[in-house]
Amino acid sequence: MRQVYGVVRFNFMGFFKNTKVILTFLLVFLLCYLLSERVMAVIEVYQTPVQAAEPFLWSFGDSWAILLSSLLLSFLFSDLPKLSPLLTFYLVRMTKKKWLLGQLIYISIVTAIYTVVMFLSTILLCMKWSYIGNIWSETAAMLGYSGLWKSMNIPSTVKAMENITPYGCMLQAALLIFGYTLSLSLLILTGNLAFGKNRGLLLGLLYSLYGFLLNPKVLCIALGMKDYEMPRANVLAGWLSPLSHAVYARHSFGYDMLPTVGQSCAVFGILTLFLSLASLRALKQYNFTFPGEKT
C-alpha cells in the first residue's frame, strides 16, 4: 500500500497548480452559477428560503446538467495515464497492477473532490437565502404540490419529499453523479491504455452521447411505439441509459418499474469493476512512451 500511495502522490504532484485543473474547477463553478439561476428566480418569486441541499438537487436534477458537469471532468482526465521521466522509477520498483491501482484511487479521489465542489458551489451561491435544518423548505413544498416544477424545469417532486430528507436525498443524488462520472473517467483511462492517447476521450464522448440520446422519445421512434406506450419507453430508457441512472428523479419510489437508487449504484459498481479489469488487461499490452522519447 505504501507503493500505491506513492503512485497517488505522484499523480497529485502540482495538481492544484495545474492550469487545466484550475480552469476546470472555475468552469464548474460557472456552470453551478448558471444552473442555480433557476433557484434564485424561484426564491425571488416566492420570497421564501430554501434548505441548503435543495439548490444542488435542483441544479443537478436533470440529465443535461449532469452531462455538462461530467464532460468538464472528462477533459481533465483526457491525458491519463500521467507520464513523465520520473514514472520509470516507480515502474521498476512495483508491479503494473499496483501502479494501476494507484491510478484508480487517484481518479476516484479527484471525482469525489469534483462532486463535493459542485455541492459546495451551489451552497455558496444560495447561502444568503438558505438554512441548514434537515427539513424541506416551503419553497420546495409549493413547487412540488403546485406542479410548477414541471414548467420551471426544477425537479422538486412530492414523491421525493415524502420518502427522504433533504440531506439524505442530496447524498443519494451525489452518489449517483459520482458513480456516473467515475465510470466515464475509467472509460477514458481504459481507452487511452487500449487504443492510445485521446482515444479514451473519444470513447467518453460516445458514452455520454449514448446516454443523452437514449431517452424515451428516441426509443419510441426507434422501436415504433405509440404515444400511449411512453411509460414503457421511459422504463426502458431508465434501465438502459447510464446517464438516466445518474438522475435522481428518474428512479422508482415504489410506484413504477424504474430502477431504485440501490440498483443504479449496483449498475455503476458493475461498470466500474468491468472497466477496471479491462484497463488491467489493456495495461499488459501498453507501450509506455515518456516525454522526450522518439516514437
Side-chain angles (χ1 to χ4, degrees):
M1 291 306 298
R2 185 183 305 172
Q3 292 177 330
V4 174
Y5 174 69
V7 175
V8 176
R9 286 190 59 189
F10 169 75
N11 280 282
F12 272 108
M13 288 177 58
F15 179 81
F16 295 104
K17 297 180 180 179
N18 191 313
T19 304
K20 181 189 291 187
V21 174
I22 296 174
L23 182 61
T24 299
F25 282 100
L26 287 176
L27 287 175
V28 77
F29 182 81
L30 177 61
L31 176 63
C32 291
Y33 173 76
L34 296 176
L35 294 174
S36 62
E37 283 188 338
R38 294 178 297 180
V39 182
M40 297 178 184
V42 171
I43 294 173
E44 291 178 359
V45 171
Y46 288 109
Q47 293 296 310
T48 54
V50 295
Q51 207 278 339
E54 289 174 354
F56 174 77
L57 297 173
W58 297 346
S59 298
F60 295 95
D62 56 53
S63 57
W64 181 246
I66 296 175
L67 178 64
L68 290 177
S69 63
S70 63
L71 286 177
L72 286 176
L73 185 62
S74 66
F75 287 110
L76 181 62
F77 287 137
S78 61
D79 59 346
L80 287 176
K82 184 179 179 182
L83 302 177
S84 76
L86 184 61
L87 181 57
T88 56
F89 294 97
Y90 286 91
L91 293 177
V92 298
R93 289 169 172 80
M94 67 178 65
T95 63
K96 288 185 176 181
K97 290 182 179 180
K98 293 180 180 179
W99 178 83
L100 180 61
L101 179 58
Q103 300 298 316
L104 299 180
I105 294 175
Y106 163 74
I107 292 174
S108 300
I109 293 175
V110 174
T111 304
I113 293 174
Y114 187 80
T115 306
V116 171
V117 167
M118 290 193 300
F119 173 63
L120 294 179
S121 296
T122 57
I123 289 181
L124 180 63
L125 290 168
C126 300
M127 64 184 301
K128 182 179 178 180
W129 306 280
S130 64
Y131 61 91
I132 61 174
N134 197 18
I135 301 175
W136 293 102
S137 67
E138 294 182 12
T139 306
M142 286 187 289
L143 285 172
Y145 285 99
S146 65
L148 288 175
W149 63 275
K150 294 182 180 179
S151 61
M152 302 185 72
N153 198 27
I154 296 177
S156 176
T157 63
V158 177
K159 290 188 292 185
M161 290 186 287
E162 290 177 346
N163 285 273
I164 195 170
T165 61
Y167 287 131
C169 185
M170 179 272 297
L171 288 174
Q172 290 188 3
L175 183 61
L176 292 171
I177 295 174
F178 171 79
Y180 175 75
T181 50
L182 180 61
S183 64
L184 174 62
S185 303
L186 291 179
L187 179 61
I188 293 173
L189 173 64
T190 303
N192 284 343
L193 290 175
F195 306 110
K197 284 288 187 180
N198 299 323
R199 304 294 176 81
L201 181 59
L202 178 60
L203 285 179
L205 294 176
L206 292 175
Y207 177 76
S208 301
L209 183 63
Y210 163 77
F212 182 71
L213 293 180
L214 194 62
N215 58 65
K217 293 182 179 180
V218 173
L219 276 179
C220 280
I221 296 174
L223 301 177
M225 294 181 176
K226 306 298 182 182
D227 291 340
Y228 65 84
E229 294 182 287
M230 183 63 75
R232 181 184 171 192
N234 189 43
V235 172
L236 286 174
W239 281 98
L240 297 177
S241 171
L243 185 58
S244 181
H245 281 287
V247 180
Y248 180 81
R250 293 187 181 178
H251 287 80
S252 174
F253 296 95
Y255 307 106
D256 45 43
M257 298 297 293
L258 288 169
T260 63
V261 173
Q263 289 169 335
S264 291
C265 290
V267 169
F268 288 129
I270 293 172
L271 281 175
T272 299
L273 179 60
F274 172 78
L275 291 171
S276 299
L277 295 176
S279 61
L280 178 61
R281 182 174 182 178
L283 182 62
K284 296 179 181 179
Q285 306 297 327
Y286 185 72
N287 182 25
F288 285 92
T289 304
F290 303 98
E293 288 186 355
K294 294 183 179 181
T295 56

